[in-house]
Amino acid sequence: MAPATNGRVIFAKVPKDFPVPGETTVYDTTQTIDIDGVPLSGGFLVKTLVLSVDPYFRGKMRTPEKKSYFPPFTLGEPIESHGVGVVLRTDNAEVAVGKYVYGMIPHQEYSIFPNMQRLNFIEKNPKLPWTVFVGAAGMPGQTSYYGWKELSQAKKGETAFITAGAGPVGSMVIQLAKRDGLKVIASAGSDEKVELMKQIGADVAFNYKTTNTREVLEREGPIDMQIHPKGCRYWDNVGGEILEAALDNANTYGRFIECGMISGYNTGPKGIKNLNQIIQKSVTMTGLLVFRFHDKYEKEFYEVVPAALASGGAEKGSNTGKAVVIVAED
Amino acid sequence: MAPATNGRVIFAKVPKDFPVPGETTVYDTTQTIDIDGVPLSGGFLVKTLVLSVDPYFRGKMRTPEKKSYFPPFTLGEPIESHGVGVVLRTDNAEVAVGKYVYGMIPHQEYSIFPNMQRLNFIEKNPKLPWTVFVGAAGMPGQTSYYGWKELSQAKKGETAFITAGAGPVGSMVIQLAKRDGLKVIASAGSDEKVELMKQIGADVAFNYKTTNTREVLEREGPIDMQIHPKGCRYWDNVGGEILEAALDNANTYGRFIECGMISGYNTGPKGIKNLNQIIQKSVTMTGLLVFRFHDKYEKEFYEVVPAALASGGAEKGSNTGKAVVIVAED
């Protein structure tokens, strides 16, 4: 068989501010791969099925000198992110052809992996498309689930304020909060998203671009818990103002969970000026990074969440706002 | 006996920014009291011995309309704070003459209390002056002790960064940290205080007015724990810059304890811009107010701390920087 094109998304240039597709990343079709003959050297060949596209990409589009808790993308090489693939050929007896794998996958149609170090096997669920496994049943869903289990200390009757509530993290948190009997206040940036947040159970849902967050929280609070999936965005004025409003309307012993991935820089003109509220209200603010809790909750997550999603109990909207690339049909 | 003068410190005027003694507070000697004859109406008469003077006073020097977790001082009435007094006369069989009481006491030489609601009995320790009972063995010491017990999660070999380390809260924390085997980095605002912090055990002590905090933390960190007794002072630029430097030099899973009392307002031009570090480093930032933990630790505190102070094991400097008023000799 003639070599196949191996389409790739290359990290071509560090962005000045916003990434520019075609310039900072380039779709490249010059590489080919001999699917049947390429040497595997003890590894295995994976066909990419779906890839996640996440806000944290911006933080990885940097020069290697800039320090961060995660490594940068490599200039001239494909970007990579969470994705799902299927094993086409193998030199490794423990990785059978036809197995599905989830983990960090380069943004290219075919990849050779030397081992399973950055991958896990996952089981196909006939009721769920693979896209769900990079959303509600993938890293964003894990962020919600781990954070809820580890940090929320949720009690029935409390009030939670969830920003970015129509995104893959926030929508899952709304559902976890409603399941546990909390009142949910949720915000997002469009009326469609507001509608969605209501459908999945938010008691109070509003568009922060057209409604004053502070007024909503003053009316519907105080809030016992805040989950800010775009915690990263404090350099963005809106994020800062929302956190300030949330702190001003925190209940005593409020838990503030700052999650989401982070821009590699913070350039905004304004900081958070009312951290004294943390003292006044005995608030605990904790940073949540999903990978800190994999060891503790990953097994439970895969036992519980895909089945719950497949049963229809929680899937509504859980993948909305999640950008994915469907690379190939399974 | 002729009525005695009952000297009082009156809250006379809300300060514009800094309090002005003689204007915002006035020492008044116009009131007299008949010590032997004043009716007690079921209560008891207390002679004030020592009174604490604390940074949180500023937050109470406000108009009642301004909301806060603590009530304001009353205009035209004496200010009040933690203090120690001795019972001179009594109508209450459970409050014997000669007993010592600790609690919220008006800034006047003699006060009549209707009951013990805002007071506790304390035992005299022949080796400790009463001033210690509004310092290391009083509210500031409790702040340190409760915070250390409840929030520090201190582990031997970790590094703690303690600001205001020569003050009554910070100096106690330095000693608790050293007792538990931590490396202590401590800052304060004068060379005398630096010397003191070294004497009580700080491994690295520096004057933040003449030494760059960020450079010290980059060299001596990362820091596993930060205790900021002047957490209140984020409206003060220095405080903000110090917290930002501490966040940038936090270790993974760092615990940031923001304590101290709080100004009723925050007027500073700058906020905290690097809260993304809370996420990057999985930091937990918690507000500490001493009164939240009285029920849990007060008994233990009085069993442990005055004796430890009297034994000389921990008293050095524990009261430095603590402003007190000695109202009368015992």
Side-chain angles (χ1 to χ4, degrees):
Chain A
M1 205 169 95
T5 297
N6 192 5
R8 309 180 301 159
V9 176
I10 304 290
F11 178 36
K13 193 178 163 187
V14 174
K16 281 228 178 64
D17 36 56
F18 289 99
V20 182
E23 187 182 310
T24 53
T25 50
V26 171
Y27 185 65
D28 171 78
T29 55
T30 59
Q31 198 182 73
T32 57
I33 184 167
D34 176 1
I35 293 169
D36 301 314
V38 60
L40 302 177
S41 314
F44 49 94
L45 175 67
V46 168
K47 178 183 167 190
T48 308
L49 298 175
V50 298
L51 289 165
S52 180
V53 176
D54 297 287
Y56 74 80
F57 281 17
R58 179 62 186 86
K60 290 172 76 75
M61 299 175 84
R62 65 180 199 273
T63 52
E65 301 85 70
K66 287 213 178 181
K67 279 191 290 184
S68 177
Y69 68 95
F70 50 46
F73 291 138
T74 305
L75 279 163
E77 295 292 320
I79 63 172
E80 60 172 23
S81 68
H82 289 93
V84 176
V86 60
V87 177
L88 294 188
R89 281 176 52 219
T90 185
D91 263 7
N92 182 331
E94 290 172 11
V95 183
V97 168
K99 281 280 196 181
Y100 296 100
V101 292
Y102 168 79
M104 295 308 282
I105 294 183
H107 282 222
Q108 55 191 11
E109 291 177 87
Y110 302 95
S111 303
I112 296 165
F113 290 88
N115 53 52
M116 287 289 291
Q117 202 181 316
R118 304 181 71 202
L119 299 171
N120 287 313
F121 292 115
I122 49 172
E123 297 298 320
K124 186 164 184 164
N125 185 311
K127 292 189 179 166
L128 297 176
W130 283 120
T131 50
V132 169
F133 284 84
V134 294
M139 186 269 286
Q142 288 164 349
T143 301
S144 312
Y145 192 86
Y146 301 176
W148 193 258
K149 285 270 172 174
E150 182 74 18
L151 302 172
S152 74
Q153 300 174 45
K155 284 182 282 295
K156 194 177 167 175
E158 288 190 332
T159 298
F161 171 45
I162 299 156
T163 63
V169 174
S171 60
M172 179 79 121
V173 174
I174 290 175
Q175 294 168 81
L176 290 166
K178 288 312 299 176
R179 190 196 61 179
D180 283 357
L182 280 79
K183 171 178 169 179
V184 170
I185 307 169
S187 69
S190 79
D191 293 345
E192 289 76 12
K193 290 177 180 175
V194 168
E195 196 46 47
L196 173 91
M197 295 188 296
K198 284 181 183 163
Q199 279 173 28
I200 60 175
D203 300 283
V204 180
F206 66 97
N207 180 344
Y208 72 84
K209 292 182 180 168
T210 55
T211 303
N212 186 297
T213 298
R214 186 172 288 275
E215 283 171 18
V216 175
L217 297 182
E218 281 171 2
R219 190 174 64 237
E220 303 288 346
I223 55 177
D224 299 288
M225 198 186 313
Q226 173 257 30
I227 297 100
H228 206 347
K230 292 188 175 169
C232 45
R233 304 292 179 78
Y234 294 138
W235 45 269
D236 152 356
N237 277 343
V238 174
E241 281 163 16
I242 288 175
L243 181 62
E244 286 187 344
L247 281 167
D248 281 341
N249 289 286
N251 207 352
T252 309
Y253 300 116
R255 285 84 62 198
F256 277 50
I257 304 171
E258 310 304 313
C259 51
M261 293 292 179
I262 305 127
S263 165
Y265 53 68
N266 32 323
T267 56
K270 292 170 63 179
I272 302 297
K273 293 189 183 178
N274 61 346
L275 282 185
N276 63 337
Q277 296 293 322
I278 288 183
I279 306 174
Q280 289 216 20
K281 275 87 172 265
S282 295
V283 163
T284 296
M285 183 181 283
T286 310
L288 168 62
L289 282 179
V290 62
F291 64 80
R292 308 256 193 238
F293 298 111
H294 274 316
D295 287 353
K296 191 164 177 184
Y297 295 112
E298 191 173 27
K299 189 162 170 289
E300 174 184 326
F301 176 85
Y302 281 112
E303 282 166 5
V304 170
V305 173
L309 293 168
S311 77
E315 97 268 48
K316 266 191 204 156
S318 48
N319 216 31
T320 310
K322 177 76 192 82
V324 296
V325 181
I326 299 174
V327 181
E329 295 300 317
D330 182 16
Chain B
M1 206 169 94
T5 298
N6 193 5
R8 309 180 301 159
V9 176
I10 304 290
F11 178 35
K13 193 178 163 189
V14 175
K16 280 225 178 66
D17 36 57
F18 290 99
V20 182
E23 187 182 310
T24 52
T25 51
V26 171
Y27 184 66
D28 171 78
T29 54
T30 60
Q31 198 181 75
T32 57
I33 184 166
D34 177 0
I35 293 168
D36 302 313
V38 60
L40 302 177
S41 313
F44 49 95
L45 175 66
V46 168
K47 177 184 168 191
T48 307
L49 299 176
V50 298
L51 290 165
S52 180
V53 176
D54 297 287
Y56 74 81
F57 282 17
R58 179 61 187 86
K60 288 173 77 77
M61 299 176 82
R62 64 180 200 274
T63 52
E65 303 85 71
K66 286 214 180 182
K67 279 192 289 185
S68 177
Y69 68 94
F70 50 47
F73 292 138
T74 305
L75 279 163
E77 295 292 321
I79 64 172
E80 60 171 24
S81 68
H82 290 93
V84 177
V86 60
V87 177
L88 293 187
R89 280 175 53 218
T90 185
D91 263 7
N92 181 332
E94 291 173 10
V95 183
V97 168
K99 280 280 196 182
Y100 297 99
V101 293
Y102 168 79
M104 294 309 282
I105 294 183
H107 282 221
Q108 55 192 10
E109 292 177 86
Y110 303 96
S111 302
I112 296 164
F113 291 87
N115 54 51
M116 286 290 291
Q117 201 181 317
R118 304 181 72 201
L119 299 171
N120 287 313
F121 293 116
I122 48 172
E123 297 300 319
K124 185 165 183 163
N125 185 310
K127 293 189 179 165
L128 297 177
W130 284 120
T131 50
V132 169
F133 284 84
V134 293
M139 186 270 284
Q142 288 164 350
T143 302
S144 311
Y145 193 86
Y146 301 175
W148 194 257
K149 286 268 173 177
E150 182 74 19
L151 302 172
S152 74
Q153 301 174 45
K155 283 181 282 296
K156 194 176 169 177
E158 288 190 333
T159 298
F161 171 44
I162 298 156
T163 63
V169 175
S171 60
M172 179 78 120
V173 174
I174 289 175
Q175 293 168 82
L176 290 166
K178 287 313 298 177
R179 190 195 61 179
D180 283 357
L182 280 79
K183 171 178 170 180
V184 170
I185 307 169
S187 69
S190 79
D191 293 344
E192 289 76 11
K193 290 177 180 174
V194 169
E195 197 46 47
L196 172 90
M197 296 189 295
K198 284 180 183 162
Q199 278 173 28
I200 59 176
D203 300 283
V204 179
F206 66 97
N207 179 344
Y208 71 85
K209 291 181 180 168
T210 55
T211 304
N212 186 296
T213 298
R214 185 173 288 274
E215 283 170 17
V216 174
L217 297 182
E218 281 171 2
R219 191 174 62 236
E220 303 288 346
I223 55 177
D224 299 289
M225 198 186 312
Q226 174 257 30
I227 297 99
H228 206 350
K230 292 189 174 167
C232 44
R233 303 292 178 77
Y234 294 139
W235 45 270
D236 151 357
N237 278 345
V238 174
E241 280 163 18
I242 288 174
L243 182 61
E244 287 187 345
L247 281 167
D248 281 340
N249 289 284
N251 207 351
T252 309
Y253 300 117
R255 286 83 63 198
F256 276 50
I257 304 172
E258 310 304 313
C259 51
M261 293 292 181
I262 304 126
S263 165
Y265 53 68
N266 33 322
T267 56
K270 290 170 63 178
I272 303 296
K273 292 190 182 177
N274 61 345
L275 283 184
N276 63 337
Q277 295 294 322
I278 288 182
I279 306 172
Q280 289 217 20
K281 275 87 173 264
S282 295
V283 163
T284 297
M285 183 181 283
T286 311
L288 167 63
L289 282 179
V290 61
F291 64 80
R292 308 257 192 237
F293 299 110
H294 274 318
D295 287 352
K296 191 164 177 183
Y297 295 113
E298 191 174 28
K299 188 162 171 288
E300 174 184 326
F301 177 85
Y302 280 112
E303 282 165 5
V304 170
V305 173
L309 293 168
S311 77
E315 97 268 48
K316 267 191 202 155
S318 47
N319 216 31
T320 310
K322 175 77 193 81
V324 298
V325 182
I326 298 173
V327 181
E329 295 299 318
D330 183 17

